[in-house]
Amino acid sequence: MSTLFEELSRVRTFEYTEEDAERFAVLHDEIRVLKQERNAVVVAHNYYRPEILKIADFVGDSLELALMASKVRDADVIDFCGVHFMAETAKILNPSRTVLLQNLLAGCQLADSAPAEVRALKMVDLPTLGSPTIPQLKPMRNPYHKKTFGRGKIGLIADKGG
């Protein structure tokens, strides 16, 4: 069995020292105790640093994490290491559980580049494009966002009827 330092040394994007690994090992022990005391799981996006991924119960990309979050059955708390829309999805899939997000400003450039308000305004222009092959998009207010996060977010649904 390899040591934490040996595992972290395989990562070429970060320079880890043995002291780093020792500090992480102590933190990992503390986190394991807290996870047990609070009946929690740690869910981490695969872009997180290796020392975080090492302690996570679930690791994956956005879709994988949403699927994993839907399978959480035994935990009362889901500690989410990712961006806010992923944590929101985990909360929607687990309304009776507490979902923690360490950084409320953690966003996704792609998701943030098309805020709901802008998409709603652009939808007005869509029918003027004149192509029957473009699905019409209609606003859909997501009641789960309002219920779980205190604000109503607008999503989009495709209406193939034009």
Side-chain angles (χ1 to χ4, degrees):
M1 187 168 156
S2 59
T3 67
L4 180 58
F5 177 68
E6 290 168 338
E7 290 180 34
L8 293 176
S9 294
R10 291 187 210 127
V11 178
R12 301 289 178 216
T13 53
F14 300 102
E15 294 291 325
Y16 293 104
T17 65
E18 288 194 45
E19 292 79 25
D20 292 333
E22 289 170 11
R23 194 175 73 247
F24 296 146
V26 170
L27 288 173
H28 287 177
D29 289 340
E30 292 175 14
I31 292 169
R32 283 186 196 95
V33 169
L34 287 170
K35 283 172 31 176
Q36 186 172 4
E37 286 176 357
R38 298 179 183 181
N39 194 26
V41 293
V42 174
V43 177
H45 195 280
N46 57 20
Y47 59 65
Y48 262 74
R49 293 178 59 116
E51 62 270 22
I52 302 296
L53 300 178
K54 182 75 178 158
I55 195 67
D57 299 291
F58 300 104
V59 175
D61 65 18
S62 301
L63 176 59
E64 289 172 316
L65 293 180
L67 295 172
M68 289 176 200
S70 71
K71 295 178 182 174
V72 171
R73 298 288 178 249
D74 300 330
D76 296 320
V77 176
I78 300 171
D79 190 354
F80 211 95
C81 301
V83 298
H84 58 79
F85 78 83
M86 293 180 204
E88 290 171 352
T89 301
K91 181 62 178 178
I92 290 168
L93 296 170
N94 295 283
S96 65
R97 290 172 177 76
T98 299
V99 176
L100 303 175
L101 180 64
Q102 303 307 318
N103 181 354
L104 296 178
L105 298 177
C108 168
Q109 287 180 328
L110 182 59
D112 293 344
S113 70
E117 296 78 15
V118 172
R119 288 192 320 263
L121 292 173
K122 294 290 183 182
M123 288 186 329
V124 174
D125 295 335
L126 193 58
T128 65
L129 296 175
S131 173
T133 61
I134 297 174
Q136 301 296 306
L137 300 176
K138 296 182 177 182
M140 173 193 73
R141 198 157 285 281
N142 187 334
Y144 296 107
H145 279 89
K146 188 165 188 169
K147 180 179 175 187
T148 57
F149 296 98
R151 60 183 189 267
K153 286 201 171 183
I154 297 174
L156 299 176
I157 58 172
D159 180 5
K160 295 182 181 179

